[in-house]
């Protein structure tokens, strides 16, 4: 239902996904030479690790800033927890929203 089959017997949805992956490789410059698929995979792994590192760094910065926020704005324990957890909530919402946006690009 909703997936048509091309003449070669492959679903067109899978062909579009492969095509978009190849477009991504070409966009990043990995489509030619010996370093096509493997370098693209390593690049994706590197970016994922960098994202995790930066998210951990942000969590540490928020932890240090929470002491100053508590004093400056006279926040209670529940209010401080809401401020700190809101960053994680918006990070999760942003990552959920980025998938459909990237699929349209």
């Amino acid at each position: 239902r909703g997936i048509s089959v091309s003449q070669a017997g492959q679903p067109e949805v899978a062909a579009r996904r492969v095509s978009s992956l190849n477009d991504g490789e070409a966009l990043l410059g990995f489509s030619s030479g010996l370093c096509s698929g493997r370098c693209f995979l390593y690049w994706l792994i590197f970016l994922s690790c960098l994202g995790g590192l930066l998210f951990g760094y942000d969590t540490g910065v928020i932890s240090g800033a929470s002491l100053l926020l508590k004093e400056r704005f006279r926040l209670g324990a529940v209010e401080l927890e809401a401020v700190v957890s809101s960053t994680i909530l918006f990070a999760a919402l942003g990552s959920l929203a980025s998938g459909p946006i990237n699929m349209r690009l």
Side-chain angles (χ1 to χ4, degrees):
R1 177 181 169 207
I3 298 176
S4 60
V5 177
S6 65
Q7 292 176 349
Q10 298 290 332
E12 289 181 10
V13 173
R16 274 187 263 143
R17 286 184 184 155
V18 170
S19 174
S20 65
L21 178 62
N22 291 337
D23 292 343
E25 288 177 353
L27 181 65
L28 294 173
F30 295 116
S31 63
S32 61
L34 298 173
C35 187
S36 61
R38 179 169 269 179
C39 285
F40 185 65
L41 177 65
Y42 287 145
W43 182 247
L44 291 178
I45 291 170
F46 170 75
L47 291 177
S48 298
C49 291
L50 185 63
L53 176 75
L54 292 175
F55 189 75
Y57 179 77
D58 288 344
T59 303
V61 168
I62 292 168
S63 174
S66 65
L67 300 174
L68 297 174
L69 287 172
K70 186 175 183 179
E71 290 177 11
R72 170 105 177 160
F73 296 106
R74 297 185 190 116
L75 298 176
V78 174
E79 295 165 328
L80 185 62
E81 289 175 9
V83 168
V84 172
S85 63
S86 69
T87 60
I88 298 171
L89 173 69
F90 285 113
L93 292 176
S95 66
L96 288 174
S98 69
I101 292 170
N102 285 326
M103 291 301 289
R104 291 183 185 181
L105 297 177

